[in-house]
């Protein structure tokens, strides 16, 4: 009985030790898993931080060498040696085209300066036309406005086709041209032109007007546009062929230079 009791007590103790060992193992396993998760989290954060820093460095390099940075500041004293007031500008004799460049699009100061220079050229140098990189048809809408057309200067500026021209400064330039034309003698009026043809809607509308004015049927080209887009039922060669036909019909008419030119623009960009 004594030995049996001792054996049973020993067996019970071993069982309890086993449970305790198992519990310790589970705790150890949980700690290991938790540590692994922490380590994995640290690795992920480290990798993300490295990628983020790399992207920032690449963006900085691209911005600097890609021409998007401000670059070195201009020395005002050095700049003053070459700069002169707008009122002092003169144009050499025989020059027919004066180009006005700008270091950035949409900059308020450059656009204001453009108006100041244009006013001087109009009043002192006999310049009568203003042309810019804008939609040909849209700029014709501006030209109509400065010759007494309806609407506002802001609406006219929006017709040019690019957001960089939807500014107070461009509206001011257009307003100046309209006011000048209201007082200008016949043949001395200012004109507004665009030499870009990425957008065809206004050019297409002008072509329809020319066809009607000259008595040319526009039935062939009327279905080519739906709303403000080209009709997907007609592919590029088909649209080209229809505009070629209209061009030939217009060319047979007198005083059809504008209509023919509009058709040529659409043949290239339809």
């Amino acid at each position: 009985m004594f030995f049996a009791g001792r054996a049973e007590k020993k067996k019970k103790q071993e069982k309890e030790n086993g449970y305790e060992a198992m519990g310790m193992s589970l705790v150890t396993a949980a700690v290991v898993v938790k540590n692994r998760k922490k380590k994995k989290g640290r690795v992920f954060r480290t990798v993300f931080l490295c990628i983020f820093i790399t992207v920032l460095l690449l963006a900085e390099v691209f911005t600097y060498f890609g021409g998007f940075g401000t670059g070195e500041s201009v020395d005002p004293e050095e700049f003053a040696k070459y700069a002169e007031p707008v009122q002092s500008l003169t144009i050499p004799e025989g020059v027919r085209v004066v180009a006005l460049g700008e270091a950035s699009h949409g900059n308020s100061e450059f656009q204001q300066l453009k108006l100041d220079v244009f006013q001087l050229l109009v009043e002192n140098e006999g310049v009568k036309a203003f042309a810019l990189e804008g939609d040909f048809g849209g700029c014709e809408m501006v030209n109509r406005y400065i010759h007494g057309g309806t609407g506002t200067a802001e609406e006219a500026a929006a017709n040019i086709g690019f957001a960089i021209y939807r500014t107070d400064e461009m509206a001011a330039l257009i307003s100046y041209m309209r006011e000048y034309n209201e007082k200008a003698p016949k043949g001395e009026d200012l004109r507004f032109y665009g030499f870009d043809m990425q957008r065809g809607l206004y050019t297409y509308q002008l072509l329809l007007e020319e066809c009607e004015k000259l008595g040319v049927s526009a039935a062939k080209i009327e279905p080519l546009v739906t709303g403000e887009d080209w009709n997907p039922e007609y592919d590029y060669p088909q649209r080209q062929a229809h505009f070629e036909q209209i061009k030939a019909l217009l060319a047979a008419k007198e005083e059809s230079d504008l209509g023919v030119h509009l058709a040529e623009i659409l043949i290239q960009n339809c």
Side-chain angles (χ1 to χ4, degrees):
M1 290 288 291
F2 175 75
F3 289 107
R6 289 188 62 184
E8 187 176 344
K9 187 176 181 181
K10 184 178 180 182
K11 186 175 181 181
K12 185 178 179 181
Q13 185 66 40
E14 289 176 351
K15 190 174 183 180
E16 289 176 355
N17 291 340
Y19 286 145
E20 185 177 347
M22 184 181 296
M24 289 296 293
S25 298
L26 290 174
V27 171
T28 303
V31 171
V32 170
V33 170
K34 188 175 181 180
N35 288 338
R36 285 179 179 174
K37 287 183 177 179
K38 284 185 177 180
K39 185 177 180 180
K40 188 176 181 180
R42 285 197 298 269
V43 171
F44 176 79
R45 287 194 296 270
T46 302
V47 171
F48 177 80
L49 185 61
C50 290
I51 293 175
F52 181 72
I53 293 173
T54 302
V55 170
L56 284 180
L57 289 173
L58 289 174
E60 183 69 22
V61 171
F62 178 76
T63 299
Y64 183 81
F65 291 102
F68 298 100
T70 56
E72 296 182 3
S73 299
V74 174
D75 182 353
E77 294 182 1
E78 183 68 19
F79 178 75
K81 295 178 182 178
Y82 304 96
E84 57 182 281
V86 170
Q87 293 73 18
S88 301
L89 293 177
T90 56
I91 306 300
E93 187 177 350
V95 171
R96 300 186 61 189
V97 177
V98 179
L100 304 179
E102 54 189 33
S104 68
H105 286 315
N107 180 288
S108 175
E109 290 77 10
F110 284 140
Q111 292 199 42
Q112 177 58 53
L113 183 61
K114 189 180 298 182
L115 171 57
D116 294 341
V117 173
F118 182 63
Q119 284 181 296
L120 180 138
L121 295 176
V122 168
E123 296 165 12
N124 296 350
E125 304 292 341
V127 170
K128 297 300 180 212
F130 182 88
L132 82 172
E133 188 182 1
D135 176 57
F136 179 86
C139 288
E140 174 57 26
M141 298 300 184
V142 179
N143 192 54
R144 291 183 177 188
Y145 173 77
I146 66 174
H147 284 88
T150 59
T152 65
E154 289 76 16
E155 291 170 345
N159 291 332
I160 299 175
F162 297 99
I164 58 173
Y165 298 128
R166 298 191 190 112
T167 63
D168 293 340
E169 291 76 19
M170 181 54 68
L173 187 147
I174 292 171
S175 295
Y176 163 75
M177 297 180 74
R178 181 182 172 104
E179 292 168 6
Y180 183 94
N181 284 344
E182 289 173 350
K183 304 172 184 178
K186 186 177 180 180
E188 296 296 313
D189 57 302
L190 302 180
R191 300 174 300 281
F192 195 103
Y193 298 108
F195 49 84
D196 192 283
M197 58 181 189
Q198 295 181 45
R199 295 164 172 80
L201 181 61
Y202 288 124
T203 303
Y204 172 78
Q205 292 174 352
L206 293 172
L207 180 59
L208 292 179
E209 290 180 11
E210 286 298 302
C211 287
E212 183 178 1
K213 185 173 74 175
L214 297 173
V216 172
S217 173
K220 282 281 188 181
I221 62 174
E222 285 175 347
L224 300 183
V225 171
T226 55
E228 297 186 357
D229 297 307
W230 296 113
N231 188 340
E233 294 182 8
Y234 297 86
D235 59 19
Y236 177 62
Q238 290 174 320
R239 292 194 294 269
Q240 266 191 321
H242 288 315
F243 285 124
E244 288 280 8
Q245 292 175 22
I246 291 295
K247 176 186 172 182
L249 294 173
L250 288 169
K253 300 284 186 176
E254 294 182 358
E255 299 182 356
S256 62
D257 290 349
L258 176 58
V260 170
H261 184 55
L262 293 168
E264 288 174 341
I265 290 175
L266 291 170
I267 288 168
Q268 296 176 63
N269 188 45
C270 65

